[in-house]
Amino acid sequence: MESRPVDSIDDPEVLRAIIAAQAAKLDAHQAEIGKRDSIIDILKAQLHLLRHGQHGASSEKINRQIEQYELMLEEIEATRAEAEAGRLPLLEAQDQLEKAKRRPLPDNLPTEDKVYEAPCSCPICGGTSFLKAADKVTQVMEHVPESMKIVRHVEKRMICKDCDTAVAGEMPTLPIVRGKPGPGLLAHIMVAKFDDHIPLYRLSEMFDRTGIDISRSVMADWVGRVSALLAILVLEIKTYIAAADRIHTDDTPVEVLDPGRGKTKTGRLWVYVVDGSGYQDKAPKAVAYYYSPDRKGEHPAKHLVNFKGVVHADGFAGYKKLYGNQITEAACMAHVRRKFHDVIKLKASPIAEEALSRIGALYDIEEKIRGMAAEQRQTLRRQHAKPILDRLHAWIGDTLPTIPQKQKLAEAMRYALSRWRALSLYIDDGRVEIDNNIAERAIRPIGIGRKNWLFAGSDKGGERIANVLTIIETAKMNGHNPKDYLRDVLTRIKDHPKDRIHELLPWNWAPSAA
């Protein structure tokens, strides 16, 4: 049924029904805002009490609780800002930001002027004689390595003497409309939080030591708005990876705060990588991260719903439903090697040593052919690696019945035999790797981060970590400093044509002349 604009509806009853429905939606929205604000007030009060209650033997436990509350507040505030950035029209966002009470910019920072000259001719009448008008000055706080400065964006204004038309230079649209932070400062905060894994309350303390007052809550708001701004690039990267025909995948647990239960729960971060540098593939390298609240197999199935090709993965049972007509499994020899190595860690085992020696011979061949074209790799693997792999298969089959079946050594052998077809796939395809180490390297930053930020503040916070890591790690894979990349992208993205957004993707990006 076609919908009619409200101003064309004549029936008063219909109009009243529409108004009532809109009022109900507004009430529900206001209730949700009130609920979130109350949660923030409660957490702030609890944080205040904890900060003033540190004493005695329980201080370590209290410090841990403070970190949890700090991160929970950070995630709530960032999530609210991200939602607002994606929901509010630009003019409404400007109006709200104008009305917000803001601290003045510090007066002790060095100042730099960027001047945007007005055009030399009037765009209306072509006149070249102008009267001087007042300059429009926009001040933002910008980050430079090891220091902070004020950048004054000065838009030079002129008035045409012939027709009174005002002309002016134009500065780039700021990432946060009428906000204080410049793109360099935002890039610094995003990289510090998501790549250096520094929680925002600690970053606030670091700024404070240099005489800069930027609260955690303010930075959380900025993080949410920047995350919303980068969402279009995240989608482009994930779409590109889904269209590839060779990917590596892995997953890792991440602790997530669960306020309703008063403790943490275990979520999951999944990684999908496209990287053909091992066989001279010219396609761009990229990595995408996804968050899920659990490790059910439905999540990778959803992530790869449109994928067709080879998936390098470990033996996680959740992947099994994926394999079939469209998706081919490539198993990981490194996992097989690791299981035999775990046997030796428990006690000496000549049989496990023999298995490791045979697997090591396969890796010696891979070391020599790394970086060759796919066709060369295929030829050399068939010539040199296939006989070793066949002998390894026969040796495991002959040895397994001779050892106790409940030992870890027998488990390692059964693990290898059950995946032998997928383990052997790389022999006949030079584009397939012997293992899944590419994905394991991509998942490593999360393991490093866990030691610092300990947990995500919410499920939404987990999604934000995944999305921002997608941008940062893909930039790094393509040889870029993530801070330089983000600084330039955040400078340009609001003015960049949406039909050319692919130009800002890490593998296409070139720094702007400015």
Side-chain angles (χ1 to χ4, degrees), residues 27 39 79 98 140 144 192 214 243 246 335 349 378 388 397 411:
D27 289 342
I39 291 174
T79 298
E98 284 177 342
V140 299
V144 294
I214 309 178
R246 297 286 188 281
H335 277 76
S349 170
Q378 180 183 7
I388 298 172
E411 291 179 11

Side-chain angles (χ1 to χ4, degrees), residues 415-483:
Y415 179 89
L417 291 177
S418 67
R419 292 165 175 79
W420 201 260
R421 183 176 179 180
L423 286 168
S424 306
L425 185 68
Y426 83 105
I427 293 293
D428 296 314
D429 190 338
R431 298 169 297 174
V432 175
E433 300 294 342
I434 189 174
D435 57 33
N436 195 33
N437 285 350
I438 288 175
E440 293 192 6
R441 286 194 295 271
I443 213 79
R444 195 169 297 150
I446 299 169
I448 296 171
R450 278 196 301 253
K451 296 178 181 179
N452 287 358
W453 40 258
L454 305 177
F455 37 69
S458 64
D459 286 335
K460 185 63 179 176
E463 293 172 7
R464 189 178 303 108
I465 290 170
N467 289 340
V468 178
L469 282 180
T470 295
I471 296 287
I472 288 176
E473 295 300 324
T474 300
K476 289 161 66 176
M477 285 185 75
N478 285 273
H480 305 312
N481 179 319
K483 194 178 294 185

Side-chain angles (χ1 to χ4, degrees), residues 105 140-142 174-176 178-186 189 222:
L105 292 169
V140 299
M141 188 160 51
E142 185 59 285
L174 292 172
I176 296 178
R178 300 186 185 277
K180 289 193 298 183
L185 177 57
L186 292 173
I189 291 170
W222 294 348

Side-chain angles (χ1 to χ4, degrees), residues 46-54 62 66 70 201 216:
Q46 291 172 325
L47 181 59
H48 178 78
L49 290 173
L50 286 168
R51 276 178 168 157
H52 289 79
Q54 296 185 65
I62 291 176
I66 288 175
E70 291 275 16
Y201 73 90
R216 182 219 60 251

Side-chain angles (χ1 to χ4, degrees), residues 316-380:
F316 171 49
Y319 292 127
K320 289 183 179 179
K321 293 182 180 179
L322 300 178
Y323 305 135
N325 295 330
Q326 294 187 4
I327 298 180
T328 303
E329 177 188 10
C332 178
M333 187 65 75
H335 277 76
V336 176
R337 183 174 59 180
R338 200 169 298 147
K339 287 186 177 295
F340 284 109
H341 183 67
D342 288 343
V343 172
I344 295 174
K345 286 198 298 185
L346 293 176
K347 64 176 182 178
S349 170
I351 296 177
E353 291 280 6
E354 174 69 15
L356 289 174
S357 177
R358 291 172 180 265
I359 294 172
L362 294 172
Y363 273 89
D364 289 341
I365 295 170
E366 292 304 302
E367 185 67 28
K368 293 175 182 177
I369 67 174
R370 182 175 295 115
M372 292 184 180
E375 295 79 9
Q376 290 177 288
R377 283 163 43 117
Q378 180 183 7
T379 299
L380 292 172

Side-chain angles (χ1 to χ4, degrees), residues 101-133:
K101 184 178 181 180
R102 295 179 290 151
R103 294 192 183 99
L105 292 169
D107 56 9
N108 61 336
L109 295 179
T111 299
E112 170 188 331
D113 283 4
K114 288 190 175 182
V115 179
Y116 308 88
E117 296 293 346
C120 296
S121 62
C122 177
I124 303 300
C125 70
T128 57
S129 180
F130 295 91
L131 298 174
K132 182 72 173 66

